[in-house]
Amino acid sequence: MILTVTPNPSLDRTYELPSLDRGAVLRAAGDRVDPGGKGVNVSRAVAAAGHRTVAVVPLGGPEGALLDRLLGEHGIEAAGVPVAGSTRVNITLVERDGTLTKVNAAGPDLAPAEAEALLEIVRTRSAVADWIACCGSLPRGLRPEWYAELVALTHPGRVPRVA
């Protein structure tokens, strides 16, 4: 089993547009919503290859509930940590000629107790993992040392880590 840790997951909403005209009201030709974030993308690739993966993610608000559901639809078990803030939503605008414009949200501000809960679920789930992939940006509220704490937490075990 590959455990992925994504401290700042997202819902990635994509709109297809004939062209991007600033200041105009635009009508999308198509749209979709995908589970996102670097570690979630790793889990999606692992699941698509037919292997078991568990995604450790903070989940907040209706956006977090939708992310949890979409992960399940992709065959990914979510080890979600409830957080007070809403899971971020990123927007991608795709023009007919292939030009992409991305707007990435900052994500929720995690409280110290929420950060500790993420570490605890990683500690618990890493006991049965073959690999751990820690991926992506840190949300507000997590110190830059948070990844180092996570590595130290799992280091005594036998689990290889990819960062």
Side-chain angles (χ1 to χ4, degrees):
M1 186 268 288
I2 297 176
L3 185 73
T4 63
V5 182
T6 311
N8 202 15
S10 62
L11 287 175
D12 291 343
R13 183 169 293 278
T14 302
Y15 293 101
E16 298 171 15
L17 303 170
S19 64
L20 181 59
D21 301 318
R22 291 185 62 205
V25 175
L26 307 172
R27 195 164 304 276
D31 66 277
R32 71 174 193 272
V33 178
D34 298 300
K38 300 295 188 277
V40 168
N41 293 340
V42 170
S43 278
R44 288 177 63 186
V46 169
H51 300 285
R52 181 166 178 244
T53 181
V54 174
V56 175
V57 290
L59 298 171
E63 298 83 0
L66 178 55
L67 177 61
D68 186 40
R69 183 175 62 92
L70 290 173
L71 288 170
E73 289 175 5
H74 281 84
I76 300 165
E77 179 185 342
V81 173
V83 298
S86 292
T87 298
R88 69 188 175 133
V89 177
N90 296 333
I91 305 294
T92 302
L93 305 174
V94 181
E95 296 177 70
R96 187 172 289 138
D97 68 1
T99 302
L100 295 177
T101 302
K102 285 197 55 95
V103 180
N104 286 346
D109 190 352
L110 297 189
E114 294 167 338
E116 286 301 317
L118 278 172
L119 288 174
E120 178 59 23
I121 202 159
V122 170
R123 186 191 65 73
T124 302
R125 293 299 187 111
S126 68
V128 296
D130 297 307
W131 286 86
I132 300 174
C134 308
C135 307
S137 64
L138 293 175
R140 296 171 291 168
L142 290 190
R143 299 181 330 274
E145 298 83 17
W146 188 85
Y147 271 136
E149 292 171 21
L150 186 144
V151 169
L153 183 73
T154 61
H155 184 69
R158 58 165 180 67
V159 182
R161 288 162 303 283
V162 178

